[in-house]
Amino acid sequence: DSGVTQTPKHLITATGQRVTLRCSPRSGDLSVYWYQQSLDQGLQFLIQYYNGEERAKGNILERFSAQQFPDLHSELNLSSLELGDSALYFCASSVDPNEQFFGPGTRLTVL
Amino acid sequence: ELKVEQNPLFLSMQEGKNYTIYCNYSTTSDRLYWYRQDPGKSLESLFVLLSNGAVKQEGRLMASLDTKARLSTLHITAAVHDLSATYFCAVDGFINDMRFGAGTRLTVKP
């Protein structure tokens, strides 16, 4: 158990809908990272937040957005969902960028 | 654009044998990561390599980095079944975006 929690574990929704994925980092970790893992695209880094501020941006679509709240939990919002957005979404947290701890992931299925 | 290539993509080994996974990347980077993923599970950080010539070892796994050749290797010594997993390398790009390799699915057979 990494200490990073993600909810929900599974999410099934329809095209065009909007969903919110939630991540609670390990206690004391200021950084949160979001990743997407799909069969088509492999593993992709989406975005990083540090203490509430966006720190780095990867291959995150404009339909996706994220934020980190004052209590350091983070949410990833996915809107206008397409079939291709079906994937595993991981978050990770760290206090040191050289070691990230990954949550169990949220499996999103878009029908 | 930063590209990361891993090979092989699939690797089937006998227990007790040695083998190496290769990770090539296309542009200068100062940070390279190796991760492990068990089937249906999340990612586990294995190593972070920060400088040319860096070598890190944990158990039967040893990772090294040659920044001049833009190459990292993950060497497996005397493989055991518990090492069966998918291994990913990832590289930090110039603007802090991280790119992953496609992964190497390792199967260790008795």
Side-chain angles (χ1 to χ4, degrees):
Chain A
D1 183 353
S2 67
V4 178
T5 60
Q6 288 186 248
T7 55
K9 288 184 83 169
H10 302 278
L11 196 46
I12 301 174
T13 189
T15 53
Q17 295 297 306
R18 173 189 167 97
V19 296
T20 298
L21 313 184
R22 182 188 168 105
C23 171
S24 294
R26 294 185 322 150
S27 177
D29 286 358
L30 298 179
S31 279
V32 171
Y33 309 76
W34 285 97
Y35 300 89
Q36 180 196 58
Q37 185 174 31
S38 67
L39 288 174
D40 289 344
Q41 306 280 347
L43 259 171
Q44 295 194 93
F45 164 69
L46 296 178
I47 198 163
Q48 179 202 353
Y49 278 82
Y50 178 83
N51 203 21
E53 301 288 327
E54 182 184 304
R55 174 65 66 92
K57 209 164 187 174
N59 291 334
I60 188 164
L61 299 172
E62 284 192 13
R63 299 184 286 108
F64 296 1
S65 64
Q67 53 184 326
Q68 186 179 27
F69 294 86
D71 67 352
L72 300 178
H73 92 271
S74 179
E75 291 181 356
L76 180 67
N77 299 295
L78 315 176
S79 61
S80 302
L81 284 167
E82 302 175 0
L83 296 177
D85 298 327
S86 296
L88 259 174
Y89 291 84
F90 292 108
C91 82
S93 75
S94 73
V95 63
D96 171 352
N98 294 330
E99 186 170 22
Q100 297 178 27
F101 295 86
F102 285 80
T106 293
R107 183 174 292 280
L108 173 66
T109 303
V110 182
L111 300 175
Chain B
E1 181 189 328
L2 174 58
K3 292 186 191 301
V4 181
E5 285 187 5
Q6 265 183 258
N7 68 84
L9 298 183
F10 297 92
L11 179 54
S12 181
M13 311 176 52
Q14 294 289 124
E15 275 192 332
K17 298 291 187 186
N18 304 332
Y19 210 85
T20 300
I21 299 170
Y22 297 88
C23 177
N24 288 92
Y25 53 99
S26 61
T27 65
T28 302
S29 174
D30 58 3
R31 196 172 286 167
L32 187 137
Y33 308 81
W34 284 98
Y35 296 96
R36 170 183 171 140
Q37 186 177 36
D38 291 307
K41 303 285 187 184
S42 188
L43 290 161
E44 176 191 350
S45 292
L46 293 175
F47 303 109
V48 179
L49 303 168
L50 300 177
S51 60
N52 189 40
V55 176
K56 290 198 175 177
Q57 182 159 7
E58 179 83 29
R60 300 173 188 276
L61 300 178
M62 183 173 72
S64 65
L65 179 62
D66 181 343
T67 57
K68 292 189 172 116
R70 296 180 187 157
L71 170 69
S72 179
T73 59
L74 181 66
H75 187 73
I76 302 150
T77 302
V80 292
H81 179 69
D82 283 353
L83 290 179
S84 296
T86 300
Y87 294 85
F88 293 93
C89 66
V91 177
D92 265 351
F94 183 68
I95 48 171
N96 291 325
D97 61 324
M98 180 191 283
R99 297 295 171 100
F100 285 83
T104 297
R105 186 179 296 179
L106 171 65
T107 305
V108 181
K109 298 180 177 178

